[in-house]
Amino acid sequence: MSMLADEADLVAPGLRWAPGFSALGPAFLTELQPRPLPEPYWVGRSGSAARLLGLDDSWLQSDEGLAAFTGNLPIAGTRPYATVYSGHQFGVWAGQLGDGRAIMLGETAGGLEVQLKGAGPTPYSRMGDGRAVLRSSIREFLCSEAMHGLGIPTTRALCVTGSDARVRREELETAAVVTRLAPSFVRFGHFEHFAANQRDGELRALADHVIDRHYPECRHSDRFDGNAYAAFLEAVSERTAALLARWQAVGFCHGVMNTDNMSILGLTIDYGPFQFLDGFDPRHICNHSDTAGRYAFNQQPNVAYWNLFCLAQALLPLIGDQQVAVAALESYKTVFPSEFEDRMRAKLGLAEAADGDRQLIEGALRLLAQEKVDYTIFWRRLSQAVADGDTGPVRDLFIDRAGFDAWWASHAARRAGTPAAETARRMLGHNPKFVLRNHLGQQAIEAAAARDFSGVATLLALLESPFDEHAGHEEFAGFPPDWASTIEISCSS
Ligand code: AMP
Ligand code: MG
């Protein structure tokens, strides 16, 4: 295939392509073209993701941009492909999976992979149709940008396009395509794939590629007697621990933490049945298909460790010594709790660690769990209470007022040396006013299905800067309506 642009190919101003993952060769991927969708239309676009990509914003809004990011016309300089991976799903080895509906356009010179999710079948589609439905595409688009707004590592989303082409799930729905961006879409499952097939040469080539591109410091680490693969595993463990700490602190439930949904860069990836907690229930299960609660909110940190153990097993042929591989996972057990405490301290407005912080944090979480108090509203009202010196609104969240008063007194004592305004400023900068609650997404989805995309745009604007007040948008920061608890979100997407 020629690298020269076909005359019919679109030139995307600002985008320059460079070989990246694709240079690994055909053992890792299959080249193919996206399958067009009829009469596409815009559903949403992220200006900030466009800037990240260096893409000309007016082109992004053009008909050419619409065609390109629906997969209807090739972009000059790209050679699209789908990658192969395997994975453990719900704790069970699932064998080969792969990009069944995500097609990579390529890698930019700026180091971002650009992927179309829902762009048609690939050799890895198995029984699937290669499509994504409008509903889950809007959720992925908004949540990618929301997580970024919250400061949580994530794949990004440039845009969503829709089409009236029918897609069969439980019901008939319509198709959509999300354009996703990340420095790498490599998953734990990519490593598991080559390890399970005893293809050590490819396993090494993949690890070398990821280390050279994304973890170059592992080449020079003096950890593990200079074993770069062990240093790599340790670095991935630490990034994963930091990610999980952020998920737990913000109340984010991923819902499908299979090893093929775990990013080697420690990014949040593959938004499916995710949920931001409404009432604080540590055992909350957001995925309707997860009947056993394997991926319940409070299980996430342990599941991540279990997944890292699978990655360690896959890397064993490169690391060479089982004890070294196990040792490389050890730091997860210290990094997760210390990162989690740091994140929670920030929510409490505390700049420095002190004895008793853990009790203060656990005390708050215990109170919240007792009455399933709304997680996001609690932290925001608490921040406001410190700012205004009026505990009324946050205290009103509890039936156990005495319990709250006692906890408030211990928080007040802990921060006594610092001006309240300074603590409050810190708290308001770490406790978001807006998160993508299920019912907010649902309302935007229902409007979009009727071709009104203003709800998607409004939510995007709020979620891009979730710590700002956004006066006039109180309805997006309120309690979920009763019907929110009846929304059932499953793996079907
Ligand atoms: P997920 O649960 O979305 O992470 O997907 C798990 C696996 O199923 C991945 O290999 C996906 O590419 C594949 N998959 C999910 N939905 C589809 C679909 N509609 N068509 C083809 N493959 C799919
Ligand atoms: Mg997946």
Side-chain angles (χ1 to χ4, degrees), residues 85 187 260-261 270:
Y85 54 80
R187 301 138 191 279
D260 53 299
N261 290 339
D270 281 13

Side-chain angles (χ1 to χ4, degrees), residues 204-255:
R204 186 177 300 273
L206 178 64
D208 286 343
H209 167 82
V210 174
I211 292 171
D212 290 342
R213 282 293 188 105
H214 307 289
Y215 291 91
E217 67 283 0
C218 294
R219 292 271 180 231
H220 319 290
S221 165
D222 51 13
R223 306 277 298 143
F224 312 107
D225 295 327
N227 185 327
Y229 302 109
F232 167 53
L233 178 59
E234 183 171 66
V236 175
S237 304
E238 292 180 0
R239 282 207 204 175
T240 305
L243 177 69
L244 267 288
R246 289 183 181 272
W247 284 2
Q248 299 308 112
V250 81
F252 176 79
C253 201
H254 181 283

